[in-house]
Every structure is written in structure tokens, then in C-alpha cells.
Amino acid sequence: MRALLALLLLVPAVASAQVAPPQMCAASPRIPTMSYPGARSIPTSNDLTRYSGKSVAAEGQRLLVQLRLRDTRCVPIQGAIVELWQVNPFGNFRIIGASEKANPNAVFSGAGRTYSDNNGGAQFITLFPAALKNQAPRIHVRIKAPNMPVYDTTLYFENDVRNTNDAAYKRLSADARRGVELKMEPWVNDPNAGFIGATEIILPGKARYRSY
């Protein structure tokens, strides 16, 4: 009898030890964006260097932007609309116009749109942006995830010396800076010697689980 009682007392302790605490991720900081072109003006392509139908890509330092979206439970966010816009390598902000779409000449689109996959991944092919006066090179992002508020932020480039002169960047803590920096490495599969910039964006709140 005593042996049975001791065994029953051990069962709750064993069961509770098997339950891991929920994983939590800190939300990425929101950095104000500039010159949002509007959803209707953004081309529905994730390649800003070569507008759909053009045979020649725009010139500049090629950059593959790789994003991974998660919520504060660290759950990947799929099916989110991800928009990206930026200045071109010469410091001009402009979205491709109707006449430029119709001609065969190379032109930088200025913005692009894609969707996050089932792992929360989204990527863009773009060109390294120029630095504007008192501003470090940057990329603006807007994320429209299902059943979550619209999320805007600005991304910087890791170890770019111009970051320290940027007013918005200087206001961030060291941890917050890491949350909005693209980690840079060579794009080994790009014959034009481009770079890959990758980061994880944690959206505030909890994404709704997908049902079937």
C-alpha cells in the first residue's frame, strides 16, 4: 500500500517535468519608414533589378535580402504580404513608371512585393541603396500578416560605418540595433559578386494558427 501511494505521488511531478515552458521571442523594433509608395504602385515582383518582361537587369551592387518572419511565440508567419521599397544606388527614390515598363531598357523598380512561405521566409533581389544626407543606407519594409496589425520598419546594414551618423539608428539600444540589421555575407552563387543580407523580424502579437 505504501509503495502504491509513493508511486501515485511521483506521477504529477514526472508529468510536470515533461511540460516545457512556452518559447517567447522579443518583438523587433519599429523604425519609421519614409516615402511609402502605396500598395497600388508597388510592382508584384520580388526582383527589383529586372521588371517583369525585361531582358536586362538594372546596374548596381546586387543584394539578396532574406527575411524570416515570426511572432512573439517564435512561430513562423506564413502568407504575409511583404513589401520593400528603397532609394536606388544613385540616391533617387522613384517607382517604375508606365513608359519605362513598356520599353526594353533596364530600370530599377524601386519597390517590390512577395509573400512569406510556410517557414516565414521571404526574399527580394535588389540593389544596394545609396546613403542620403545624414542617413545611412537603408531598406524600408511593410508587413501585412493575416489577422495582425500592419507592421512597418527600416532595416540597416550590419557594420556599415555610416550607421553611427543616422539619427534613427543612434536612438536604438544595442539589442534593438541587432534586431534591425541585415547580416551581410558574399552571395557565392551570384556571378556578379553580390551580397546576401539576412535578418529575422519578430512581429508583435500572436499569429493565428492556420486551419484546414
Side-chain angles (χ1 to χ4, degrees), residues 67-197:
L67 307 176
R68 187 185 180 201
L69 313 182
R70 294 201 288 173
D71 68 6
T72 51
R73 295 170 302 182
C74 308
V75 174
I77 299 175
Q78 68 178 107
I81 300 173
V82 185
E83 297 172 334
L84 180 151
W85 69 101
Q86 62 171 90
V87 300
N88 65 20
F90 307 101
N92 300 316
F93 177 75
R94 57 190 304 277
I95 304 300
I96 185 172
S99 61
E100 294 169 309
K101 296 176 183 178
N103 68 50
N105 302 326
V107 63
F108 183 65
S109 295
R113 177 185 293 118
T114 191
Y115 290 85
S116 60
D117 60 25
N118 60 341
N119 291 316
Q123 66 179 29
F124 294 87
I125 300 174
T126 185
L127 300 177
F128 199 92
L132 303 180
K133 184 178 181 181
N134 299 324
Q135 293 181 359
R138 58 181 64 192
I139 288 176
H140 302 300
V141 175
R142 171 167 288 191
I143 300 169
K144 305 171 185 175
N147 305 301
M148 299 182 75
V150 175
Y151 178 87
D152 290 358
T153 196
T154 298
L155 301 177
Y156 296 87
F157 297 91
E158 183 183 41
N159 297 326
D160 193 311
V161 296
R162 293 165 291 188
N163 290 343
T164 56
N165 294 323
D166 188 281
Y169 182 90
K170 288 192 294 185
R171 287 194 292 267
L172 300 175
S173 67
D175 288 340
R177 290 176 181 179
R178 286 190 289 269
V180 293
E181 287 179 337
L182 292 165
K183 279 61 178 178
M184 304 295 289
E185 62 181 39
W187 187 356
V188 295
N189 295 325
D190 181 34
N192 297 315
F195 286 87
I196 296 175

Side-chain angles (χ1 to χ4, degrees), residues 78-79 118 207-212:
Q78 68 178 107
N118 60 341
R208 181 179 298 178
Y209 288 111
R210 185 171 182 176
S211 59
Y212 296 90

Side-chain angles (χ1 to χ4, degrees), residues 11 62 118:
V11 171
R62 282 165 57 84
N118 60 341

